[in-house]
Amino acid sequence: LPRLGPPEIDGVTVTGVHFLGQVGGKVDALTGSGAFTLADLAADGVAANGVALDATFGLDGETVRFDLKGKAAGLLADRLDLATDQGVAFDLAGVLEGQEATLSRFVLTGPVVEAKASGTASLADGPLALTYQVRIPDIAPVAAAYDAKAAGRVVSEGNLSGTLAAPRLDAFTAAEQLAMDGQAFGDVRIQHDVVVAEAVSGTVTVDAATKPYGKLKAATDLVLDGQTLTLTKLQADGMGVRVRSPKPLAIDLEKTLIDGRIAWSAGNLASLARLAGAPMAGMAAGSVVFKPQQGRQNLTVDAKLERGKVGDAAVSLLTVKAAIRDALGRVPGVDASVHGETITAGDIEITPV
């Protein structure tokens, strides 16, 4: 078959199909086996070439059984070359009974990614029950495909439930020995339980053990509706700083604008000394209110520092109130008031300011 393109599947092109094998049985109860090859396949951002499979199959009424093992010389997903020059191996088996599909095994093995999956799915928008595992032994070629520089290994495992129209993904993704632009970062684990429908909704937690910043944690409920990402119950902790969002935080991803408020506190600024490059001490707390106005990002900042110290300078109390207009613009406008008590630097003491 020099060209095979199922008319009922839009956007799918298959060329150079060959089958050499045997088929036997009755018209409604067939079995077969043989070698199946195709030259090229393209569909929705995925392209394969040089596919060669050993196939066995059976047809009994509306029940189709299949077992495929083989290799693709080339496999491209978006901009990512999954085969490089080594090819990608496939091992796939399952049963299709009318609108019900059972995937007993799916194994993809290649130089860039390794994947496994099994489970059941209703093609008539019935229930899903799938498990999967994806391993990327080195993310460098993945990052390079998108003009980035990174290193490390990634594993993701989880369960897919719900329906085809609204699948629920309950899984974790872990990155180990992560480095960005040649700088070591550390290990990151993301736990996510989301439903993908007209809007994406669910919960995400992040735990990281980093070299530059120590342990970092974050968690939030989220809803992604079009270009608007809404975060609720946001909390983050790292380097002795705690961040909370008492009310929903709405982010316009298209315009890069935020509407909402976050509160923060630091019980001991000594943990921030590595960023300041000097010894630090003190307690601090404050809030930031984000307000978009006429396409610009405005901020209101409140902060209080008690018994603060940076290097040889110290202050017993410092309060800051600031209104920032067009914070992301070329020349932001700032109205600020600062009040300090007992400021010392060496032998100099000033109070109040």
Side-chain angles (χ1 to χ4, degrees):
L1 301 173
R3 180 178 179 83
L4 175 65
E8 68 275 12
I9 304 179
D10 294 333
V12 176
T13 302
V14 182
T15 60
V17 178
H18 299 271
F19 175 75
L20 178 62
Q22 58 185 10
V23 178
K26 298 180 180 180
V27 174
D28 60 349
L30 296 173
T31 60
S33 63
F36 175 85
T37 63
L38 61 87
D40 296 283
L41 179 147
D44 294 333
V46 177
N49 64 73
V51 179
L53 302 172
D54 290 326
T56 60
F57 58 88
L59 173 62
D60 187 359
E62 293 187 353
T63 301
V64 179
R65 293 178 172 81
F66 55 89
D67 192 317
L68 307 172
K69 294 184 178 68
K71 194 171 185 178
L75 181 61
L76 187 68
D78 193 34
R79 296 164 57 180
L80 181 59
D81 183 0
L82 296 176
T84 61
D85 58 351
Q86 303 177 45
V88 176
F90 297 91
D91 188 352
L92 175 67
V95 178
L96 179 62
E97 298 181 80
Q99 297 292 312
E100 306 300 317
T102 299
L103 184 63
S104 56
R105 72 174 183 273
F106 168 77
V107 180
L108 182 149
T109 306
V112 176
V113 63
E114 301 172 357
K116 299 179 180 179
S118 62
T120 60
S122 174
L123 305 182
D125 201 28
L128 291 173
L130 295 168
T131 62
Y132 80 91
Q133 180 187 88
V134 176
R135 291 183 179 274
I136 302 175
D138 183 2
I139 64 172
V142 179
Y146 296 93
D147 304 319
K149 185 178 180 181
R153 55 181 178 268
V154 174
V155 60
S156 182
E157 298 181 8
N159 302 303
L160 196 62
S161 59
T163 66
L164 286 176
R168 176 184 178 184
L169 180 62
D170 183 3
F172 80 88
T173 300
E176 299 176 342
Q177 298 180 353
L178 186 64
M180 304 294 291
D181 294 323
Q183 298 295 318
F185 183 78
D187 302 331
V188 180
R189 181 185 175 96
I190 303 173
Q191 188 76 36
H192 36 94
D193 185 356
V194 297
V195 175
V196 183
E198 291 186 6
V200 179
S201 61
T203 62
V204 176
T205 61
V206 180
D207 286 279
T210 74
K211 295 184 181 299
Y213 311 115
K215 292 185 177 181
L216 306 175
K217 292 186 177 182
T220 186
D221 294 348
L222 63 84
V223 176
L224 176 60
D225 190 356
Q227 294 294 320
T228 301
L229 174 63
T230 302
L231 307 179
T232 57
K233 301 179 183 178
L234 172 65
Q235 53 185 6
D237 297 271
M239 300 190 69
V241 180
R242 170 172 290 188
V243 177
R244 298 291 186 268
S245 178
K247 294 183 179 181
L249 200 65
I251 305 171
D252 187 325
L253 301 177
E254 183 177 8
K255 299 178 181 179
T256 321
L257 297 174
I258 303 175
D259 189 358
R261 176 180 178 270
I262 62 171
W264 61 273
S265 62
N268 188 350
L269 295 180
S271 57
L272 297 175
R274 72 180 75 178
L275 292 183
M280 295 183 66
M283 301 171 55
S287 66
V288 181
V289 177
F290 301 85
K291 193 67 179 177
Q293 187 174 16
Q294 297 179 343
R296 298 177 179 179
Q297 182 69 71
N298 295 341
L299 306 177
T300 302
V301 178
D302 287 283
K304 181 171 72 171
L305 171 64
E306 299 179 82
R307 299 187 297 276
K309 184 176 182 180
V310 179
D312 294 331
V315 59
S316 64
L317 176 66
L318 182 70
T319 59
V320 178
K321 296 181 181 293
I324 305 174
R325 300 179 301 278
D326 194 15
L328 303 178
R330 293 181 58 188
V331 184
V334 180
D335 293 325
S337 62
V338 181
H339 178 81
E341 296 283 351
T342 315
I343 301 173
T344 62
D347 295 332
I348 300 174
E349 179 176 320
I350 303 173
T351 185
V353 174

